[in-house]
Amino acid sequence: MSTLKPYRIILSGGGTGGHIYPAIAIANALKSKNPETEFLFVGAKDRMEMEKVPQAGYAIEGLWISGLQRQLTLKNGMFPLKVFSSLIKSRKIIRRFKPDIVIGTGGFASGPLLYAAAAKGIPTLIQEQNSYPGITNKLLSKKAKRICVAYEGLERFFPKDKIVITGNPVREDLLDVSQKRLRANTYFKLNPKKQTLLVLGGSLGARRINELIAEKCSFLEAKNIQVIWQCGKLYYEKYKDLEQHKHIQVHAFLNAMDLAYAAADIIISRAGASSVSELCIVGKPVLFIPSPNVAEDHQTKNAKAIVSKKAAILIKENNLKADFEPVFSELIASKEKQKTLSENIKTLALVNATKAIVKEVEQVLNA
């Protein structure tokens, strides 16, 4: 990218950490190459991006937008009004900020913003994180200049000539977690002679995973497992008292994710796109419990894409009661199986995703 021209870039995405943190990673990488570039984020009002983006040092504006509910509800009746309102505001933002490019990382707000930008002839780039894209990105792809993806086979959904496999951006501090085991054990006050289970439910927490761990405290203790459990801020008050079990640590949020990954021997996780990308880089044995309550059931599809390479284990929520104990027992008893899963998932890691996406942004800007 030329350092002579201070580009103006809008990034839009949010709703969950899986959409926010990749957008911030892309902005940070672009800013490091051209400090004069001006950035504006556009998110959904009252969602976590309105807090997390300013914490990262960027300005953000919010749209009045949300997704369609699966059940018939009054909120769905407001959806057309929200879309119309968001399109009007998106046009005003674009007219005022005059971006050179608009980048969408998914989430409610990116739909109207990228649609409005493309209608104005402003180049757009989509960063599709999932193995099965939602309807919004399928529609937006027709006008996008470039679509950066993390999985093979997405020409089923997008114009083939626009697709570039880049991977999903992840935090830089995850690239060397294997060197941090001793520090991680000290940080979390762990017994180095025990296997450690890391439980992740995403930035907001996962109800069914939390219920599972609460139910299995005695089972995990009998297996001599110590647990680092990120239950999410919505659930912390409910589960914090389970720390009376000496082998369980309950956290609303994990600020030192690199050390949490470094400490883990086995990881239980949802299968959001960013989580999957991080887990490939971290290279630990993973048991995926996908959320069934997401658009197009994309978490199950993300997990299956990894499981098909013999690189992880998948248990669906409705099978946990029957399958969890036998599947988990087999995994912790077999160092060979742990080693195989670890080696296989590492081969799927795309460690230079952020750099690759920045390169595509540069090419679009200089076209």
Side-chain angles (χ1 to χ4, degrees):
M1 184 185 296
S2 166
T3 56
L4 298 175
K5 180 177 177 181
Y7 288 108
R8 300 172 69 79
I9 297 175
I10 292 180
L11 296 103
S12 183
T16 67
H19 296 307
I20 299 162
Y21 295 120
I24 292 171
I26 293 167
N28 288 344
L30 287 163
K31 189 176 182 179
S32 71
K33 293 198 78 174
N34 188 345
E36 300 302 312
T37 297
E38 292 187 47
F39 295 93
L40 176 65
F41 281 68
V42 177
K45 280 181 180 176
D46 305 321
R47 303 291 294 204
M48 64 186 290
E49 57 264 32
M50 302 309 290
E51 175 190 347
K52 299 297 181 187
V53 169
Q55 283 176 1
Y58 295 102
I60 185 168
E61 295 201 31
L63 303 179
W64 184 45
I65 189 71
S66 60
L68 276 167
Q69 307 296 308
R70 289 190 165 200
Q71 294 84 18
L72 284 173
T73 165
L74 282 173
K75 288 183 179 178
N76 279 347
M78 300 294 286
F79 182 72
L81 182 60
K82 288 182 177 182
V83 171
F84 181 74
S85 164
S86 296
L87 280 168
I88 296 295
K89 186 165 184 184
S90 293
R91 286 172 185 150
K92 287 179 180 175
I93 290 170
I94 287 163
R95 195 159 55 238
R96 186 179 70 248
F97 189 76
K98 297 182 174 62
D100 296 294
I101 189 170
V102 174
I103 300 166
T105 60
F108 308 135
S110 65
L113 200 282
L114 267 72
Y115 179 86
K120 277 283 195 181
I122 294 162
T124 62
L125 181 146
I126 294 170
Q127 198 259 316
E128 173 55 64
Q129 297 151 8
N130 292 295
S131 60
Y132 195 94
I135 190 167
T136 303
N137 274 357
K138 288 181 200 171
L139 292 170
L140 292 170
S141 70
K142 293 177 174 61
K143 297 285 188 182
K145 295 291 184 186
R146 200 81 89 248
I147 305 157
C148 296
V149 303
Y151 294 89
E152 296 174 349
L154 268 73
E155 59 273 5
R156 291 176 294 156
F157 311 108
F158 298 138
K160 187 175 181 179
D161 60 329
K162 297 180 180 181
I163 295 173
V164 184
I165 296 180
T166 58
N168 290 326
V170 300
R171 290 167 270 209
E172 290 288 319
D173 61 3
L174 301 185
L175 299 178
D176 61 347
V177 296
S178 60
Q179 310 298 315
K180 301 179 182 179
R181 183 66 180 241
L182 288 174
R183 184 150 64 95
N185 285 344
T186 303
Y187 181 88
F188 287 105
K189 300 180 175 64
L190 298 169
N191 180 346
K193 295 180 180 176
K194 289 186 175 185
Q195 290 193 78
T196 301
L197 169 65
L198 173 63
V199 181
L200 303 171
S203 50
L204 302 176
R207 180 184 60 81
R208 186 64 190 96
I209 290 179
N210 288 339
E211 290 172 353
L212 174 76
I213 301 305
E215 290 163 10
K216 302 300 180 184
C217 282
S218 298
F219 165 77
L220 293 167
E221 186 174 24
K223 295 290 182 183
N224 205 27
I225 300 291
Q226 55 196 347
V227 183
I228 301 169
W229 175 13
Q230 182 253 311
C231 66
K233 64 180 182 180
L234 299 178
Y235 299 95
Y236 181 69
E237 290 300 317
K238 181 175 182 179
Y239 292 110
K240 65 180 182 182
D241 291 343
L242 289 174
E243 284 201 331
Q244 65 187 312
H245 297 272
K246 289 190 171 63
H247 65 296
I248 302 268
Q249 297 182 28
V250 186
H251 301 266
F253 190 78
L254 289 166
N255 290 312
M257 273 307 304
D258 58 328
L259 297 183
Y261 282 131
D265 293 292
I266 295 168
I267 299 169
I268 289 175
S269 176
R270 286 301 202 199
S274 284
S275 296
V276 172
S277 296
E278 288 185 359
L279 292 164
C280 289
I281 284 170
V282 167
K284 300 289 179 81
V286 181
L287 196 167
F288 285 121
I289 304 173
S291 170
N293 307 309
V294 292
E296 316 275 0
D297 196 21
H298 67 255
Q299 286 204 9
T300 300
K301 295 178 174 77
N302 291 345
K304 283 182 173 177
I306 306 301
V307 172
S308 69
K309 310 280 188 182
K310 297 183 170 52
I313 296 168
L314 164 64
I315 303 180
K316 292 189 175 183
E317 278 194 358
N318 56 7
N319 295 331
L320 281 172
K321 195 172 184 67
D323 293 351
F324 177 75
E325 287 195 14
V327 169
F328 188 80
S329 296
E330 181 189 350
L331 179 58
I332 60 168
S334 174
K335 290 291 184 186
E336 189 58 36
K337 181 156 192 176
Q338 290 179 34
K339 184 170 179 281
T340 299
L341 290 174
S342 180
E343 288 173 351
N344 289 350
I345 200 168
K346 276 182 186 173
T347 66
L348 306 177
L350 294 166
V351 297
N352 295 313
T354 309
K355 288 179 184 174
I357 293 166
V358 166
K359 182 181 174 186
E360 297 305 319
V361 173
E362 292 172 353
Q363 289 182 359
V364 172
L365 284 169
N366 295 320

